[in-house]
Amino acid sequence: MTLITAPRSLFTLPLLLLGCLVALPVTAGTETGREHPGVALVLSGGGARGLAHIGVLQALEEMRVPVDCVVGTSMGALVGGVYAAGIDPAGMQQELEAMEIAELFDDNPPRPERDHSQRRDDYRPLFGFSLGVNESGVQLPAGASSGYKFELFLKELLGTGLALAQQDFDNLPTPFRAVATDLESGAMKVFDRGDITRVMRASMSLPAVLAPMEIDGRIYADGGLVRNLPVDVARATCGDVVVAVNLGTPPNSRESLTSSLAVASQAIVLLTEQNVQRSLAELTASDVLIVPELADYTSSDFSDLAPIIQSGREAVQAQRDGLASLSLGTEEYARWLAGRAARKPPQRQVNALVAASGRNVAETAIMQDIHASVGDDFDLHHLGTDIGNAYGRGDYSYIGYSILPEGEAARIEVEATSKPWGPGFLKFGLGAATDFNSPSQLNLAASYRRNWINRLGASWRVDGQLGYDSYLSTEFAQPLQLRDGAFMAAYLAARREIIQAYRGEDRIGDVTVVEASGGFDVGVSGRGGELRFGPFLSYADTTPDFGFFNPVTEERSYQQAGLRLTGVHDQLDSYAFPRHGALVRLDAEAGLPDWGSDTEQLAVRLELRGAHSIGSHTFAASIEAGGDLNGDGNLLVQDRYQLGGARRLSGLFLQQLTGDRYQLATLGYYHQYARLPTQLGEGLYLGMSMEAGRIDDPLSEDPFDWIGGTGVFWGADTILGAMLFGYGYSTTGQSAWYLTLGQSF
């Protein structure tokens, strides 16, 4: 047991004062009706290291040490608050083992549940984060994560009886206090009432990781900045004896301070450690200090749940002698447990589900995604899914709900806050691909979108790309109702692309295509995907460059007018390296001579993709086909199909084959050998693929003959785009290495 020795002067108090103290009629224990000294448990912050608090609580239960109040900061507030609300530590561990804790830091709902306008960005080489644009210029988000998933998880865990909007924390099964930092004044805030889920969320709002939390008009951040081990708060709450659990975060070495993020993290660690030392000095000889051994773990090691919890158990066992005096007898501890259980309120029936008024988002807009039923069929998990879907539209910096008591029942108010760094949003990206033989492809991309231009949610989008393939497009889309469904869209686009031409393995030239187009579509859109149809008009100039040998026609101009049909059903959990789900895409374009088109073509392309995983092993398959259904096999140059490259006939050079019709089938396997931190991406993979395809390239020796390809690759699904490095071999005897970034493969 680690003890803090009391100052010698305490033992030289005048006998008269000592006598007065002895003569006092009650003690702290009897004032509260307890038969034992009040035990105040203090849980410090520490990120993932705070999971050790669960082990501490488990060991205290086994030793029959009562916890009469719990005070926590940051992760300590999270574990302490859940315990105070009546969830036993074994139940906490079971809940956490059934989920990926790191996903709580990822604001995005699963990809299949996101709005289709968000999934469209995956089809282009755009980074997985956006910047805000408003009258003040380009703005950064307040934090890497809004933390709304934490709040939803906690509300579902505690239920409608304990996650009430306003309640006295002294009335919980175990009295509770949480410490946060007032971000405007720098003062310490001790929460003793309110919505416990939001209070816990506020206490753990580490700057630049979780966005600050607004409560009652004030902005709060991580309590570790002012009191990471709030011994004084615990003693004032119920503590005859303080049991303090200090996780500690040792400063990083000089060698690791190699980035601005590392320096900022070090500053927070140093600031926190200073207030921890002051709190340690407040412990007395009767208090107990517990320090789990966590040298091998960082604040982000949420995947190491079991060993971190075990370290907390072991730390309590190491202090068994010091805690023995606090242990109750079997019957007395049973009475204490029964009293704690009796203070847990029953679940409330939810009879109303409405949008909160007076917010900066229209109530009808908030409720367009909320479909949970009230009454006997109400389900907090269903409501949480609806809220995640609403957040997936990309319009909100925060969305959540409050549970308000109404007699014995409850009313739920859904609240949302639009992103203050909007209303415009800007993305950048980089796409690159090389086979170390043909010209390397490098593209810089950007996208701007503006939502909620009117009350029905009209949006304006501008996409651009500069490099090997360049284009600029703009689209205005007008929904016909305030929900997913019918819409109208008008668009304009201009592009320049280069189509390579090969004879065998020899590159003999290229064709540059410059095209301008526009159109108007009507369609329907939903979370499953989108279907649109409408007229279009395009003009294209083609410029071949083959030196002295020109196997194609001279420079030509084309006009194309007709109808387009495009549809996509996209339920892949990741576009580049899906582990589950399916995708169906259909593109059809009919050139109509009566409308002024130079050709009468009906180009149709169909793509089917799917993936299924067993553990970390994924099996994927795809089928593609395209051609002119009119049968003349004479598509315009800009509409022709291309094959070649990683997973598109491995072994061939990038886009080596070009023709009017093609077919491609792919089987793939990849193993996810590591998972990236949520803020950096999805995972790292090793895999292989087998492909069979054919295309009627007029420059091939055997047009439309089947070609096989086999490839092996290393892949990474990152916030900067999908990366792939691989090698392929073709049945033509050709082989190639590949390196790609973005959706270029």
Side-chain angles (χ1 to χ4, degrees):
M1 178 177 65
T2 304
L3 300 178
I4 306 299
T5 305
R8 184 178 299 274
S9 58
L10 291 179
F11 299 100
T12 59
L13 291 174
L15 292 177
L16 179 60
L17 178 58
L18 180 59
C20 292
L21 290 174
V22 173
L24 288 175
V26 295
T27 67
T30 57
E31 284 179 345
T32 57
R34 288 190 294 264
E35 300 176 359
H36 60 270
V39 178
L41 179 64
V42 182
L43 304 178
S44 76
R49 296 156 62 94
L51 297 171
H53 294 318
I54 298 176
V56 168
L57 287 166
Q58 291 175 348
L60 290 178
E61 280 193 348
E62 292 170 1
M63 295 179 62
R64 301 192 302 276
V65 174
V67 175
D68 298 301
C69 68
V70 58
V71 178
T73 296
S74 194
M75 195 65 179
L78 180 66
V79 174
V82 171
Y83 174 79
I87 307 299
D88 63 84
M92 291 186 217
Q93 182 170 356
Q94 183 177 1
E95 288 286 342
L96 295 177
E97 287 175 342
M99 64 181 300
E100 288 285 349
I101 304 175
E103 291 182 358
L104 296 177
F105 292 95
D106 181 6
D107 286 344
N108 289 320
R111 187 174 181 274
E113 298 174 10
R114 299 177 201 170
D115 187 73
H116 180 68
S117 64
Q118 301 290 307
R119 291 198 298 265
R120 282 175 59 183
D121 290 346
D122 297 339
Y123 309 151
R124 298 192 52 224
L126 294 170
F127 299 151
F129 58 89
S130 63
L131 305 175
V133 180
N134 55 31
E135 62 275 5
S136 301
V138 177
Q139 306 289 315
L140 293 173
S145 170
S146 74
Y148 82 98
K149 283 188 177 180
F150 271 106
E151 188 178 328
L152 294 180
F153 167 70
L154 292 170
K155 278 189 164 67
E156 185 176 342
L157 181 63
L158 301 186
T160 57
L162 283 160
L164 299 177
Q166 287 295 334
Q167 60 180 320
D168 188 336
F169 294 164
D170 283 338
N171 295 330
L172 294 171
T174 298
F176 172 65
R177 300 290 186 270
V179 174
T181 302
D182 188 316
L183 204 54
E184 298 175 67
S185 67
M188 178 178 69
K189 171 65 176 180
V190 178
F191 285 98
D192 59 3
R193 64 181 301 106
D195 184 328
I196 188 171
T197 62
R198 293 185 179 177
V199 165
M200 289 187 281
R201 163 67 183 80
S203 180
M204 60 184 300
S205 298
L206 187 66
V209 176
L210 287 176
M213 188 73 182
E214 180 178 349
I215 298 178
D216 297 332
R218 304 292 293 182
I219 302 297
Y220 296 102
D222 196 289
L225 300 174
V226 290
R227 196 78 89 252
N228 200 48
L229 189 69
V231 171
D232 55 340
V233 178
R235 201 178 303 281
T237 303
C238 76
D240 297 329
V241 176
V242 172
V243 176
V245 185
N246 183 30
L247 303 178
T249 302
N252 295 315
S253 64
R254 177 176 179 177
E255 291 74 17
S256 64
L257 302 178
T258 57
S259 67
S260 58
L261 184 62
V263 172
S265 176
Q266 181 84 329
I268 294 175
V269 169
L270 295 176
L271 181 64
T272 300
E273 189 59 25
Q274 289 179 12
N275 70 65
V276 167
Q277 292 303 317
R278 290 194 296 270
S279 295
L280 290 175
E282 297 170 356
L283 294 173
T284 69
S286 60
D287 299 327
V288 180
L289 177 62
I290 297 172
V291 184
E293 178 53 55
L294 297 167
D296 295 334
Y297 305 101
T298 70
S299 59
S300 60
D301 288 336
F302 286 99
S303 60
D304 295 316
L305 173 67
I308 292 178
I309 290 177
Q310 181 60 28
S311 70
R313 295 174 60 91
E314 293 172 354
V316 173
Q317 295 296 331
Q319 302 297 330
R320 174 176 289 275
D321 292 341
L323 293 166
S325 61
L326 303 177
S327 178
L328 302 181
T330 303
E331 293 184 1
E332 185 181 0
Y333 189 68
R335 289 195 300 272
W336 181 85
L337 286 176
R340 171 175 145 85
R343 292 191 294 272
K344 188 173 182 178
Q347 299 295 313
R348 293 172 179 262
Q349 179 169 296
V350 175
N351 293 330
L353 179 59
V354 298
S357 59
R359 310 289 293 188
N360 61 351
V361 180
E363 296 176 27
T364 51
I366 294 175
M367 297 302 291
Q368 67 175 319
D369 293 298
I370 308 302
H371 308 297
S373 302
V374 297
D376 294 337
D377 295 330
F378 179 77
D379 179 27
L380 280 177
H381 181 73
H382 185 181
L383 177 59
T385 299
D386 289 346
I387 287 178
N389 291 339
Y391 193 92
R393 293 185 181 275
D395 299 322
Y396 306 127
S397 63
Y398 168 81
I399 184 167
Y401 60 91
S402 296
I403 303 175
L404 306 173
E406 288 189 339
E408 298 298 320
R411 180 180 84 258
I412 287 184
E413 291 187 354
V414 182
E415 308 162 14
T417 303
S418 62
K419 291 180 176 178
W421 55 92
F425 301 98
L426 184 63
K427 278 189 172 184
F428 294 97
L430 174 67
T434 181
D435 55 28
F436 304 98
N437 179 78
S438 56
S440 298
Q441 302 178 13
L442 179 64
N443 297 301
L444 300 176
S447 178
Y448 173 83
R449 65 179 173 86
R450 170 76 183 270
N451 294 341
W452 291 101
I453 295 176
N454 57 36
R455 64 183 182 85
L456 288 180
S459 62
W460 176 46
R461 183 182 182 112
V462 179
D463 292 285
Q465 186 168 291
L466 182 64
Y468 183 83
D469 291 322
S470 300
Y471 69 84
L472 180 66
S473 67
T474 183
E475 178 185 82
F476 181 85
Q478 176 63 65
L480 301 182
Q481 68 286 305
L482 191 61
R483 62 182 184 277
D484 290 334
F487 69 91
M488 301 182 297
Y491 61 89
L492 295 171
R495 67 180 178 126
R496 179 192 64 83
E497 66 173 330
I498 299 174
I499 300 175
Q500 303 292 339
Y502 287 82
R503 186 180 293 279
E505 297 184 33
D506 299 322
R507 178 177 169 272
I508 60 175
D510 58 53
V511 178
T512 300
V513 178
V514 177
E515 181 182 20
S517 62
F520 179 84
D521 289 337
V522 294
V524 291
S525 180
R527 301 212 176 271
E530 181 180 86
L531 179 68
R532 56 166 65 195
F533 174 77
F536 76 95
L537 177 65
S538 68
Y539 298 90
D541 289 325
T542 62
T543 305
D545 183 7
F546 289 84
F548 293 107
F549 172 69
N550 190 348
V552 299
T553 58
E554 67 278 359
E555 182 175 337
R556 288 195 57 183
S557 296
Y558 301 92
Q559 176 175 300
Q560 190 78 346
L563 294 170
R564 280 179 179 157
L565 171 69
T566 61
V568 59
H569 174 75
D570 183 354
Q571 291 292 282
L572 297 174
D573 62 344
S574 168
Y575 187 68
F577 295 100
R579 305 198 68 240
H580 300 281
L583 178 145
V584 180
R585 191 198 309 273
L586 173 67
D587 298 295
E589 180 181 298
L592 303 176
D594 292 343
W595 290 17
S597 182
D598 289 341
T599 65
E600 186 177 2
Q601 66 180 36
L602 179 56
V604 177
R605 176 180 178 273
L606 177 66
E607 176 186 3
L608 306 174
R609 294 175 61 188
H612 179 72
S613 295
I614 302 174
S616 61
H617 304 279
T618 300
F619 301 89
S622 67
I623 299 175
E624 301 177 34
D628 183 2
L629 297 189
N630 279 338
D632 57 15
N634 190 29
L635 290 181
L636 298 179
V637 174
Q638 64 269 24
D639 295 328
R640 291 176 182 169
Y641 308 105
Q642 295 180 299
L643 287 178
R647 303 200 290 186
R648 295 190 62 77
L649 288 185
S650 299
L652 302 185
F653 300 137
L654 297 170
Q655 301 170 349
Q656 180 174 334
L657 303 177
T658 303
D660 296 318
R661 54 182 175 145
Y662 85 106
Q663 295 158 7
L664 176 67
T666 301
L667 290 175
Y669 161 81
Y670 38 93
H671 165 63
Q672 185 183 40
Y673 69 88
R675 183 180 178 89
L676 293 173
T678 303
Q679 292 81 3
L680 299 181
E682 297 290 335
L684 302 178
Y685 304 90
L686 291 172
M688 62 174 293
S689 65
M690 297 181 295
E691 310 104 41
R694 60 179 180 171
I695 187 168
D696 60 345
D697 187 331
L699 301 180
S700 297
E701 294 183 4
D702 301 303
F704 216 54
D705 274 3
W706 286 97
I707 299 173
T710 302
V712 294
F713 60 85
W714 169 89
D717 203 353
T718 79
I719 194 172
L720 299 181
M723 291 185 283
L724 180 145
F725 178 69
Y727 172 81
Y729 181 82
S730 167
T731 55
T732 64
Q734 187 177 336
S735 63
W737 291 90
Y738 306 102
L739 178 63
T740 66
L741 171 66
Q743 303 301 335
S744 301
F745 55 84

